[in-house]
Amino acid sequence: MSLGDTGAAVSDIQRRLSAILGGHAPVNNDGDGSFGDGTRAAVEAFQHVRGLRVDGVCGAQTWNTLVEASFRIGDRFLYRRTPMQRGDDVADLQQRLSTLGFDTGRVDGIFGDRTSRGLAEFQRNAGLSVDGIAGGVTFRELMRLESRHHEPEMISSVRARAQLRDAPPTLSGRYVGIGESGGMGSVTGALRRRLILAGIQVSELHHPDDSTQAHQANDLGVDVYVGLRLNPARAECHTSYWSGTHDESPGGRMLAGLVQESLPGALGIEDGGVHGMSLTILRETRMPAVLVELGPADLVVERAALLAAVLSVVLGRWADSSWD
């Protein structure tokens, strides 16, 4: 849905935006069912808050995130199923369990296997029926215990830092995943060759669907993921790492900063900055990950070898970073 569209679907978008952004959301400047400037502004505000691409268009990812944002803890039973449940209620459950010391993995709003194990462990410790289902009794006990708990740090954050601290201080022995979805094959190939010559295990991922590519990286068990995406319109480089409403990737954040310190200057293009985002490739990968977006296409192809050389140095600096 975008500027000029009308109908019941637009009304649904407007209703959800008003509920999430509040009564003074700019969507109220438009008529019901009319996607005007007010609705576009509200979509952009929502995209900005949620770490999505800000384009004012309610495409598939924005719509899915809008639906997820409509769920509140207690609205529905939460449990492991296929496809996995997603939503703010799942993220809330993960955050509460993690704060109490039950490891649900990353607080990403996706009810996967680790969330199921963390929930079952909580139920076991609380003397509840261990069924892996978060329903009324489990929610009440969770909130009762949380009200008596004063430790704000989540176990997911502690675990992420510990994994980074305990990893080898060089890239040697690490497994690097390099991904692209079209137009960056020359760069991923050059980077792969350079890293392999240094004795580093590398896999290239080329699937055009970000969710599939994320699952491929997870299945391979790579230690770090570098995604490269072509922005043909601008001579610009910006780098993103995973950041959600409750949690973020400390390893991804540091790597994104190191990439952005080096690449724009080396390539002679504009510095677009570092961004914490909840894009699919960053949200669904289970390791420190960054998404590097740069252009234009002719410059990227012409300087593929230089780009690969800079990224290999950056990855080495990242592996050698202190996490104390």
Side-chain angles (χ1 to χ4, degrees), residues 62-310:
T62 296
W63 168 251
N64 290 338
T65 307
L66 198 54
V67 171
E68 289 182 27
S70 302
F71 289 113
R72 297 291 177 266
I73 195 164
D75 285 352
R76 56 180 177 167
F77 290 121
L78 298 175
Y79 56 96
R80 176 69 171 91
R81 66 172 176 79
T82 302
M84 291 181 281
Q85 291 179 304
R86 298 170 180 243
D88 279 18
D89 54 346
V90 177
D92 196 353
L93 174 67
Q94 292 171 324
Q95 189 267 335
R96 291 171 188 268
L97 288 169
S98 189
T99 299
L100 289 171
F102 298 95
D103 191 359
T104 61
R106 181 185 283 176
V107 181
D108 56 9
I110 304 173
F111 199 114
D113 292 336
R114 296 188 71 167
T115 301
S116 183
R117 289 195 295 269
L119 174 60
E121 186 63 22
F122 167 76
Q123 290 175 326
R124 187 175 296 110
N125 278 265
L128 304 175
S129 297
V130 182
D131 57 9
I133 300 173
V137 174
T138 298
F139 287 141
R140 286 193 293 274
E141 185 64 12
L142 181 61
M143 293 174 187
R144 184 184 71 82
L145 291 175
E146 187 185 41
S147 68
R148 299 162 56 183
H149 189 76
H150 303 293
E151 175 55 58
E153 188 165 32
M154 297 184 297
I155 193 172
S156 60
S157 301
V158 175
R159 176 180 46 78
R161 291 198 302 272
Q163 288 176 340
L164 291 166
R165 190 166 52 245
D166 296 341
T170 68
L171 269 186
S172 180
R174 309 274 189 114
Y175 187 3
V176 179
I178 312 166
E180 63 92 34
S181 55
M184 297 289 278
S186 61
V187 181
T188 59
L191 180 55
R192 178 177 178 273
R193 290 189 294 273
R194 180 172 285 272
L195 292 175
I196 286 176
L197 286 173
I200 298 158
Q201 185 179 6
V202 185
S203 284
E204 286 186 67
L205 306 172
H206 298 282
H207 201 283
D209 178 71
D210 281 351
S211 184
T212 300
Q213 194 172 123
H215 292 159
Q216 289 175 339
N218 294 337
D219 291 343
L220 288 169
V222 303
D223 297 306
V224 59
Y225 170 88
V226 178
L228 298 168
R229 299 293 185 272
L230 187 63
N231 179 2
R234 300 189 63 179
E236 179 180 85
C237 171
H238 58 91
T239 308
S240 306
Y241 63 94
W242 182 77
S243 179
T245 54
H246 298 284
D247 203 358
E248 69 173 23
S249 168
R253 181 171 188 163
M254 177 172 280
L255 180 55
L258 292 172
V259 169
Q260 205 62 31
E261 282 179 15
S262 304
L263 265 189
L267 297 179
I269 57 179
E270 185 178 342
D271 184 344
V274 173
H275 311 278
M277 301 189 76
S278 188
L279 302 173
T280 298
I281 192 66
L282 302 173
R283 181 186 183 189
E284 297 187 11
T285 40
R286 292 288 173 263
M287 70 292 299
V290 295
L291 182 65
V292 186
E293 298 175 271
L294 67 166
D298 56 350
L299 183 142
V300 170
V301 172
E302 177 187 329
R303 302 186 183 178
L306 174 61
L307 219 168
V310 173

